[in-house]
Amino acid sequence: MSKVIQAVRGMNDLLPEDVVHWRRVEAVARDVLHAYGYRELRLPVVERTELFARSIGSHTDIVEKEMYSFEDRNGERLTLRPEGTAGCVRAGIENGLLYNQVQRWWYAGPMFRHERPQKGRYRQFHQIGVEAYGMTGPDVDAELILLSARFWKALGLTGLRLELNTLGTPESRSRYRDRLVDYLRQRMDALDEDSRRRLDVNPLRVLDSKNPEMQELIRAAPSLLDDLDDASRVHFEGLTSLLDRAGVGYVINPRLVRGLDYYTRTVFEWLTDRLGAQSAVCAGGRYDGLVELLGGKPTQAVGFAIGLERLVELLRQDVPATADDTPHVCVIPVASERAGDALLLAERLRDRGLRVECQYAGSLKSGLKRADKIGARYAVLLEGGDAAAVKDLRGDEGQRTMTPGAVADYLAPLLLTGRQ
Ligand code: HAM
């Protein structure tokens, strides 16, 4: 026997039982997003490598170590998208949809990062991303946070905590960067290898270290909030006051720096304690400089993305999902010569809008067992002769015998009026 070929490490199959949860999340997300006027766009999974290097930053973990990049047959450097924001901006500029316009967009789909797989961290994972363009004030930052909070509520998800920070302007961040580098250089002995490397190329990321031995040093590090420019301070105060008025709780975390370089001012994350090390379920912020960096006219921008694997894992712990793909009816030809009749009867039932699974072989016993397993509400038994027996598998209607032609008229009203 030849060797079984397995899936690529960190890339998961979603089986029908999983998809039930995913579809619920996607349906609720769509309703919430549309309630705020966000419109869906669908973008390529592959982009030019340079798009991500320029947007996310060439000294970030994502670009340095995690991208799936390759040369195609024409020798072009391409990358499987590690996130959606860069592609969104690229598409907005290319289609002339950003300059002097307000846009509210969302997208959903797979992203790819060559990280070390563990629970909640995969190499192919899925995001729902939300991006807003052309709005300057903190109102839209607050809108996005309220949208996400409404989404958790609609899903029945509790216990997420919101952390906020502001990274200021590139100028205030560079002042802070100098101060932080001074502080860290004086403590070189206490830095782990990763942080020493980051010190030269991306010192703010030292604050993001998860190494327990570094936490004391990180806690005592200078705070970015002390170097903040006035306009960014006013923006941040505007946001927190809107969240206060809307009754959304948050914690200001001055060490929240994010792993992508394009952020300015507001950054935020929704976190959970229930997924081990992978605590961020949703993350984002403002990126006012990115459109210009990618060759467009200066355009304000803010957005976030939700990690769907993490969200579904939390929901699976809390909220039962009911399948919307369960067949209403299972048609069982108890007499084997009636398999063809079963096929045609099932077609008549589908004409009336019912979900029907048809069996073509097996005994009455195995047929009923199967009908029970798939969760059907009724079984239709075709025995010898021309009769059909309609058996209620979940309620108290028992079994009724009728002509096959009468089955659809009998079942359709019962099943399509909310009694399923
Ligand atoms: P991010 O923080 O890199 O931001 O990813 C957002 C979310 O995607 C994370 O909070 C997490 O839930 C999920 N995620 C990231 N990597 C993985 C992984 N390897 N396995 C499973 N889930 C993962 C962004 O991607 C930005 N584009 C967000 C954004 C949109 N900012 C502005 N607009």
Side-chain angles (χ1 to χ4, degrees):
M1 221 164 53
S2 39
K3 195 162 174 274
V4 174
I5 300 173
Q6 296 189 323
V8 177
R9 194 161 120 80
M11 305 206 179
N12 300 317
D13 301 314
L14 293 178
L15 301 178
E17 304 83 87
D18 306 316
V19 173
V20 171
H21 288 274
W22 283 72
R23 267 224 297 270
R24 174 167 173 266
V25 166
E26 286 156 7
V28 174
R30 206 167 290 131
D31 286 350
V32 172
L33 285 157
H34 293 168
Y36 286 78
Y38 285 75
R39 303 183 68 206
E40 181 180 3
L41 43 67
R42 300 187 182 194
L43 300 170
V45 171
V46 176
E47 298 271 3
R48 289 174 204 284
T49 303
E50 192 196 345
L51 174 71
F52 301 115
R54 238 206 273 174
S55 318
I56 299 170
S58 43
H59 293 301
T60 56
D61 284 354
I62 297 179
V63 172
E64 269 185 353
K65 321 191 265 210
E66 296 170 0
M67 295 209 300
Y68 281 91
S69 298
F70 58 96
E71 238 172 54
D72 77 356
R73 287 172 194 275
N74 306 327
E76 283 194 80
R77 291 293 298 162
L78 303 178
T79 295
L80 294 184
R81 63 181 181 193
E83 58 105 52
T85 307
C88 220
V89 171
R90 198 256 324 126
I93 298 171
E94 199 169 332
N95 294 287
L97 296 172
L98 295 183
Y99 182 57
N100 255 344
Q101 298 175 62
V102 165
Q103 299 289 1
R104 286 181 166 84
W105 288 340
W106 68 275
Y107 50 86
M111 308 291 160
F112 302 85
R113 296 184 194 174
H114 195 273
E115 297 194 75
R116 203 153 46 79
Q118 53 173 249
K119 189 179 160 80
R121 188 165 73 195
Y122 308 104
R123 290 181 173 172
Q124 175 175 325
F125 60 98
H126 297 76
Q127 289 183 341
I128 291 180
V130 186
E131 317 284 356
Y133 297 97
M135 288 168 274
T136 314
D139 335 61
V140 65
D141 306 20
E143 172 179 295
L144 286 171
I145 290 174
L146 292 177
L147 186 161
S148 51
R150 185 181 292 273
F151 183 38
W152 315 141
K153 191 162 172 222
L155 288 169
L157 187 66
T158 52
L160 291 187
R161 116 183 141 263
L162 174 63
E163 290 194 357
L164 287 185
N165 192 20
T166 175
L167 301 179
T169 56
E171 297 73 42
S172 67
R173 198 154 65 239
S174 121
R175 275 199 303 277
Y176 172 67
R177 184 190 150 114
D178 293 346
R179 218 150 59 84
L180 181 67
V181 169
D182 274 354
Y183 169 85
L184 294 172
R185 282 212 192 289
Q186 285 163 25
R187 290 157 184 83
M188 278 304 257
D189 290 348
L191 297 184
D192 61 13
E193 203 189 310
D194 221 25
S195 301
R196 280 186 204 172
R197 198 177 51 80
R198 283 173 168 167
L199 183 59
D200 292 323
V201 292
N202 201 348
L204 263 66
R205 295 285 294 158
V206 173
L207 301 177
D208 216 28
S209 165
K210 303 284 179 287
N211 182 350
E213 286 166 21
M214 298 268 305
Q215 295 312 307
E216 192 48 49
L217 180 140
I218 290 171
R219 250 193 306 278
S223 167
L224 212 154
L225 296 175
D226 298 334
D227 284 294
L228 211 55
D229 56 289
D230 286 343
S232 297
R233 188 183 307 279
V234 169
H235 187 99
F236 194 55
E237 284 167 4
L239 171 61
T240 52
S241 115
L242 285 167
L243 294 179
D244 292 339
R245 285 173 63 189
V248 176
Y250 56 86
V251 174
I252 295 174
N253 173 3
R255 316 273 174 251
L256 181 63
V257 288
R258 310 274 302 117
L260 306 94
D261 280 355
Y262 49 60
Y263 292 107
T264 49
R265 297 195 171 163
T266 312
V267 287
F268 65 92
E269 291 189 347
W270 286 95
L271 303 162
T272 173
D273 296 325
R274 288 196 282 151
L275 291 179
Q278 306 312 314
S279 55
V281 175
C282 167
R286 219 167 230 284
Y287 51 99
D288 291 336
L290 184 59
V291 178
E292 202 178 358
L293 185 71
L294 292 179
K297 300 257 172 41
T299 304
Q300 320 286 319
V302 53
F304 67 78
I306 298 167
L308 291 183
E309 279 76 5
R310 296 184 192 175
L311 181 60
V312 167
E313 182 56 36
L314 286 179
L315 286 170
R316 210 199 294 273
Q317 292 173 12
D318 289 358
V319 188
T322 37
D324 56 4
D325 55 359
T326 307
H328 294 114
V329 181
C330 192
V331 180
I332 306 171
V334 179
S336 59
E337 72 276 10
R338 299 204 62 197
D341 292 345
L343 174 82
L344 296 177
L345 174 58
E347 284 296 295
R348 297 293 78 76
L349 297 176
R350 293 183 192 115
D351 288 343
R352 302 291 291 272
L354 298 177
R355 296 188 295 270
V356 185
E357 183 183 292
C358 193
Q359 300 181 22
Y360 303 114
S363 65
L364 174 64
K365 188 162 166 235
S366 67
L368 287 174
K369 204 163 149 196
R370 166 81 191 162
D372 188 52
K373 183 165 176 223
I374 63 174
R377 170 73 202 267
Y378 290 93
V380 177
L381 313 173
L382 299 183
E383 296 172 324
D386 186 38
V390 178
K391 187 174 170 64
D392 183 0
L393 300 173
R394 321 255 149 210
D396 49 16
E397 287 160 28
Q399 184 167 322
R400 292 169 196 229
T401 304
M402 57 193 78
T403 62
V407 176
D409 280 340
Y410 175 66
L411 285 179
L414 288 176
L415 285 164
L416 298 176
T417 50
R419 290 186 53 196
Q420 47 206 311

